[in-house]
Amino acid sequence: MAPTDAYARIYAVVRRIPRGRVATYGQVAEAAGLPGRARQVGYALHALAGGTAVPWHRVVNAAGRVSARAMPGDELRQQQLLEREGVGFEGGRISLPRFGWRRRGAR
DNA sequence: GCAATGACGCTCT
DNA sequence: CAGAGCGCCATTG
């Protein structure tokens, strides 16, 4: 019952995502120290419940798309937030190679 | 403790 | 390039 530890780790990673960029669940999971547990990252964000200072809207799936949530319309809001930060959507999809978060100095 | 679900990812068609 | 199916792991009931 103390998954909060892993959750806090995920939140910390999401928090370090620079504005105008998006990270995939798998990437966040790996950065959080949970390789292969991308699904749990989604769980953690779902448990977020709003009110938390975590830019969860910067987290998208590997398809570069916003994952379907329980509340329809909320994903629309996430897309709008990303566009507002400078992320460009292509056909409703984000160009991960272009806006994908790159915590490596590579570029 | 067992079974089902889930903000996902990858491979094949 | 796009769409569909299968797999992996943790959380919840």
Side-chain angles (χ1 to χ4, degrees), chain A residues 17-56:
Chain A
I17 299 174
R19 180 168 159 293
R21 233 154 219 172
V22 293
T24 64
Y25 292 94
Q27 199 153 0
V28 174
E30 190 178 359
L34 308 167
R37 270 124 240 178
R39 256 180 163 184
Q40 272 57 283
V41 176
Y43 258 32
L45 291 176
H46 182 105
L48 214 306
T52 325
V54 178
W56 56 272

Side-chain angles (χ1 to χ4, degrees), chain A residues 3-106:
Chain A
T4 20
D5 186 64
Y7 279 31
R9 216 177 192 106
I10 294 165
Y11 301 148
V13 175
V14 177
R15 243 184 243 155
R16 42 196 250 195
I17 299 174
R19 180 168 159 293
R21 233 154 219 172
V22 293
T24 64
Y25 292 94
Q27 199 153 0
V28 174
E30 190 178 359
L34 308 167
R37 270 124 240 178
R39 256 180 163 184
Q40 272 57 283
V41 176
Y43 258 32
L45 291 176
H46 182 105
L48 214 306
T52 325
V54 178
W56 56 272
H57 59 261
R58 282 185 199 152
V59 186
V60 297
N61 58 30
R65 253 199 146 178
V66 182
S67 304
R69 295 162 51 295
M71 195 75 80
D74 239 34
E75 42 182 284
L76 239 327
R77 165 120 111 251
Q78 180 172 359
Q79 184 173 325
Q80 180 112 42
L81 280 162
L82 290 171
E83 280 196 307
R84 199 177 102 171
E85 294 198 345
V87 178
F89 275 75
E90 301 254 338
R93 242 171 252 161
I94 307 172
S95 295
L96 287 177
R98 197 172 131 76
F99 296 103
W101 176 39
R102 225 150 199 235
R103 58 192 199 110
R104 275 206 198 219

